[in-house]
Structure formats: structure tokens, C-alpha cells
Amino acid sequence: MADDKKLPTRAEDFSAWYNELVLRAQLADYSPVKGSMVIRPNGYGIWERMQRALDDMFKATGHENAYFPLFIPESFLKKEASHVEGFAPEVAVVTHGGGKKLEEPLIVRPTSETIIYHMFAKWTQSYRDLPILINQWANVVRWEMRTRLFLRTLEFLWQEGHTAHATHDEAEEEARRMLGVYREFMEGWIAMPVITGQKTESEKFAGALRTYSCEAMMQDNKALQAGTSHNLGQNFAKAFELQFQAESGEMAYAWNTSWGVSTRMVGGMVMTHSDDNGLVTPPKLAPIEVVIVPIWKSDEERSRVVEAAHKVKTDLTAWTGRGATDRLRVRVDDREGVKPGAKYYEWEMRGVPLRLEIGPKDLEKGSVFSARRDVKAKAALPLEELPESVARLLETIQQDMFAAAKARREANTHRNVTSYAQFKEIMEGPGGFVYAGWNGDAASEAKVKEETKATIRVIPDEEFRSPEAPTTCLVTGEPATHEVVWAKAY
RNA sequence: CGGGGCGUAGCUUAGCCCGGUAGAGCGCCUGCUUCGGGAGCAGGAGGUCGGAGGUUCGAAUCCUCUCGCCCCGACCA
């Protein structure tokens, strides 16, 4: 009986834990259409905070928002050979409109490269029109066979940046810059450490020259690709005749990049930080940072304590120490008929980072009682300078969550793995990230995937590489051309 | 699309084998007492048993068809 109030635990069934948590924390709910979901206010509030932070970062790096339509002529998808090959199986096609069969079917965008570069071509004549730095916030549709809340659904929300440049190097710089922006966001806001690097040929985006990605480790030791940035080269420019006249007078094809992150990050946040009691949200993304629970026995106490609770909320939200527009996000739970303990469990399930309890004893002492969501730590905070101490505590929580996630990743990262037998043991057992040598051959990559389900997540950027580069390929024993990170992935 | 499982109240489900007209827990509503880690008592609302057809005096239960969902595998941010 008490058991149906508890979540399945991560240890006994990670996947059941995740699904149940997403529903119970009211992040999302299943919609009547198989494979799609409703994002509820609790979940959407987190997404909105993600959007705002990222959007500011995109603007700061010179991008502007625009909006391109949902429907794309089917013929557009076919113009770039590897792109159509990559996406055709998962595209939803509209064949009828207004009660009539359409002359040309429309596809529902799985991504917008084709329509965007078609438009860019229309807008570009000279090198003076470049670069074009555009972002759009949109929904996209990919008809997946197997779906999971936030991680893979038929429709999802994302942003896709699309840029056009005069030179390869400029495009390359842009692709790398945005990868850096993603990393900064994931680590600074989601408190989710990531490894950055380049994707192998077999894992790169259909139509790209090179794909870079941010890879995070979830609590089941599986990798989550949390964001990607592509140098598209001139593939789309050629397919859509995106040309410009260079300073020299000659015509040249533009160089493009595209980069995106999605509501999948909400799933990443859940699987990085949450525990068996429910959601744990990093303060910076929490729609509610502080919940105040008043505690009383008699009616007389109730009126005093509830009044004090609202006064504390007012003091906290009026404080401008984080800037006039970044106020503390506070909620008072003064519902009657629900006992304090029940409220604690409820707000813990919903992931509120900090709880303040205010009862008669606290009022006497001139303090409130605080409880952190991320760790079991409780302490009295003096009412004097409460906003400052609350803000400090939230900042500490944010940092501690990042540190804990990073420590967990490191503890489950294996380096100096040279024997394939040892590798198999790791993948069949605890899993995690394995740094190892690779001969650069897609065949050895495919063999490992076939035999262990693990794939090369990324060819890591320099700062993540081992002090001594592996010299032999994990699979074949041949000389290694790269050090790569292997893991099972979502 | 293959293999496995399941549809009974908002949720979890009992009943089905052996037909007799639906019961529980949680949640919800009202009232009183409670309230520093998931409250108690009393009263109450809520179900064409996924849908269609058949067998039968009678179907949640037996038969046929159908729809949907979940899990496992083949595709993927």
C-alpha cells in the first residue's frame, strides 16, 4: 500500500523508473497517438528555461531567429542524396489537403536543411550577403519505430541553427563554436557534464561533411547524444544552388552549418540527476526553485505561520541580488488538509531544489528550516539576509550537482582498455565509457556494434583524450589511428 | 513487420478456467477531528467490463472477428 507511492528503483529497473518518474513528476503524459506525448506545464517550464538560456547564447553569438514552414515539398528531400537516404524511412508524408489529393506530396519536416537552403539561395547573390546566421525554434516529426518519453517521440521540439558562409574555415569555426555553446549550456545549466568530439562516418548526420556532438553519461551508464553540430560543407549548397559571387568575381558555392538540441535534453536532465524519490532539477532550470511549507497545529498558529510564509516569499521574490529580471522563483504550499509530510514527498517528486519549512518554533527562533533536494542536508537559515543565503545555497546545489554527475561519469569511465575480451566484459557488465584505440575502419566499428551493441560515441576532443594515446585498435590489434569513446547509447 | 503479454471506475486491479447481471485498494467530493516526513472516522459520486457479431432464458466470463496498448527484436535526436 505504501509501495505504490514509491517509484520503481533505478537499480531494479532503470527504464521503469524513468517512465514512471516522468509521469509522476508531471513532466509529460502519453497522448492518444502512439509514440507522441503531451509536455505538461512542469516539463514545459523546464524547456522554456532551456530555451531562454540558449536563445540568449545564440543571440550573443550573432544569430537571429526566423521561422520556416512545417511542410516541405517532397522533391526537396530528394535533392541531396545521402540526406534523403538518411531520412526517407522516418518521414511523414501528407498526400491529401482540402479534400483533394495533392499534385506533389508534402513532407512534414524531420529537419529543415532543404527548405532553409532553398530560401538562403534566393537571398544570396554576393559574398556581401554572407554570413547568414539563422536559428529557428520548431517542432519536427520523425516516424520512429520505438519511442520513449522525451528521448524519442514521433514529434519533438528543438532548435535548429542554419548558417551559410563564404569559406570552409568559417563554417568549420561556426560548427565548433556552437558545439562549445552547447557544452557551456549543458554543463552550466543542466549540470550535465559532456564529452565533445567528432562523430565517425557511420554515425554522422546524413548529408554532413563532419558531425560534432556532446555526449553525456546517464545513471545506467549509457551514453546520451545531447546535441549535435554539423559542418555541412557544400553538399546542400550544391543541391540547392546556394551560390554567391566572390570578391574575385567568380561564382562559388556557400559553406553551411547546422546544429540542434531538443527536448531530449529534458530526458538527459532526468537521467543524470534524479533519484529513487523522484525528479531532481538543477536550480537554474527549475520553474520553482524554492517551495515554502508552513507548519501549524492550531488555527491560531496557522494564520501566523501562513502569513510568515507569504512574507518570506515576498522578501525572496523582491530581492534583486541576481539582477532585476532574475528573481528567485518561489511558491508557498499553504494547502489545508494535506499534512506537511505529504507535501514534502510531493515536491520532492516534482524536483524542487530547495524546501523551506516554517513552523511556530522557527518563528520563535527567527529562522526557517531548509532541506536540499539533491542531497540529504537540512539546516536552519536565519531570516536575516535570507534571500542572500537562499541564493547562495541554490548556487551551491547547482555546482554540487555538476560535480556529482562528473564524478559519477569518471567513476564509470574505463581507459587503457586494450583487450577486446575485457571490453566485452565491461559492456556485458557495468557498461560505461571505454576509451580505446581504433583503426579508423568502419568494419571494425560495425563488428563491435554487432557483437556488443556498443558504438563509437565520439572521437573525443583533445582535452578528453588519455595522456598517452592508445597505440593499437581494440578490435583488430592493428595500429590505432584514433582514440575513441565506446559506449552503449540511447 | 516478427515473437511475447494485456485491455474491467481517474490509477492499480479481483472476478473469467467452472456463465446467474461487477467488488476492492488508491485517488476524488462533503463534514468533523488532525497537521515538524505519505492522517483518522463518517457519508458520497464514479463502471454500456476496448469494440462488433455469435451461442444462450441469461455473457466481464464461452466462440469468431476487429481495434488499441505495453514489452522484446529490426530504424534513430
Side-chain angles (χ1 to χ4, degrees), chain A residues 342-404:
Chain A
K343 292 179 183 178
Y344 301 165
Y345 281 104
E346 187 173 330
W347 293 110
E348 276 166 12
M349 180 61 72
R350 293 176 59 143
V352 175
L354 188 65
R355 178 178 78 236
L356 298 180
E357 305 166 13
I358 303 184
K361 293 178 209 162
D362 303 293
L363 290 185
E364 279 168 31
K365 288 182 283 192
S367 64
V368 299
F369 197 70
S370 71
R372 285 171 63 163
R373 178 64 185 87
D374 62 323
V375 292
K376 285 197 190 306
K378 299 184 177 183
L381 298 177
L383 281 171
E384 197 173 321
E385 300 202 340
L386 187 65
E388 286 83 354
S389 45
V390 163
R392 244 190 333 267
L393 194 46
L394 290 168
E395 183 55 37
T396 303
I397 291 170
Q398 181 82 30
Q399 285 167 11
D400 287 356
M401 285 177 67
F402 178 71

Side-chain angles (χ1 to χ4, degrees), chain A residues 133-243:
Chain A
L133 306 172
I134 292 283
N135 176 63
Q136 85 164 343
W137 291 97
N139 58 340
V140 286
V141 168
R142 298 182 186 177
W143 215 266
E144 302 289 351
M145 297 175 176
R146 283 197 70 171
T147 56
R148 294 197 69 185
L149 294 167
F150 285 110
L151 302 175
R152 180 164 299 111
T153 46
L154 292 197
E155 178 187 0
F156 58 94
L157 304 183
W158 77 344
Q159 63 64 219
E160 47 181 323
H162 292 274
T163 67
H165 307 264
T167 67
H168 166 274
D169 289 358
E170 228 183 89
E172 179 67 13
E173 193 187 325
E174 167 77 2
R176 296 291 324 196
R177 176 186 303 118
M178 300 322 287
L179 186 75
V181 164
Y182 286 160
R183 180 186 178 186
E184 190 185 331
F185 171 73
M186 290 169 191
E187 301 199 328
W189 290 73
I190 312 180
M192 180 175 74
V194 294
I195 290 167
T196 59
Q198 190 178 338
K199 286 289 191 184
T200 62
E201 277 302 298
S202 61
E203 294 276 331
K204 76 175 188 190
F205 175 73
L209 203 56
R210 281 188 287 279
T211 291
Y212 300 105
S213 83
C214 293
E215 300 282 331
M217 188 194 285
M218 305 294 101
Q219 290 185 69
D220 59 353
N221 290 347
K222 283 168 79 175
L224 182 77
Q225 177 177 305
T228 50
S229 180
H230 318 287
N231 182 336
L232 301 173
Q234 295 177 305
N235 292 342
F236 287 92
K238 285 177 179 166
F240 290 90
E241 288 168 42
L242 169 48
Q243 296 185 80

Side-chain angles (χ1 to χ4, degrees), chain A residues 74 77-78 80-93 107-111 141-146 152 154 206:
Chain A
E74 191 181 39
L77 188 70
K78 297 180 174 155
E80 211 287 331
S82 55
H83 191 61
V84 62
E85 201 183 311
F87 280 106
E90 45 188 304
V91 161
V93 184
I107 65 166
V108 181
R109 63 180 165 216
T111 178
V141 168
R142 298 182 186 177
W143 215 266
E144 302 289 351
M145 297 175 176
R146 283 197 70 171
R152 180 164 299 111
L154 292 197

Side-chain angles (χ1 to χ4, degrees), chain A residues 278-347:
Chain A
L279 185 66
V280 180
T281 317
K284 281 183 169 181
L285 293 177
I288 300 171
E289 292 171 285
V290 180
V291 63
I292 302 173
V293 179
I295 293 152
W296 65 79
K297 286 200 201 324
S298 62
D299 277 356
E300 184 274 329
E301 276 179 0
R302 184 173 69 81
S303 59
R304 271 167 53 215
V305 150
V306 168
E307 192 189 327
H310 283 282
K311 169 78 163 61
V312 166
K313 176 184 170 171
T314 306
D315 290 349
L316 291 176
T317 53
W319 183 69
T320 55
R322 277 194 326 202
T325 54
D326 186 15
R327 304 301 181 90
L328 287 162
R329 300 181 293 282
V330 184
R331 167 126 171 209
V332 176
D333 185 355
D334 56 5
R335 283 175 298 171
E336 292 179 48
V338 183
K339 294 180 79 172
K343 292 179 183 178
Y344 301 165
Y345 281 104
E346 187 173 330
W347 293 110

Side-chain angles (χ1 to χ4, degrees), chain A residues 29-72:
Chain A
D29 202 355
Y30 291 104
S31 95
V33 176
K34 181 181 178 170
S36 43
M37 67 173 189
V38 175
I39 305 177
R40 301 183 66 176
N42 240 17
Y44 202 80
I46 292 166
W47 176 239
E48 281 181 311
R49 296 201 55 78
M50 289 180 168
Q51 279 185 302
R52 191 180 308 176
L54 282 164
D55 203 61
D56 288 347
M57 292 165 102
F58 299 155
K59 302 276 171 58
T61 42
H63 303 86
E64 294 178 298
N65 284 332
Y67 186 77
F68 295 81
L70 176 69
F71 297 126
I72 298 174

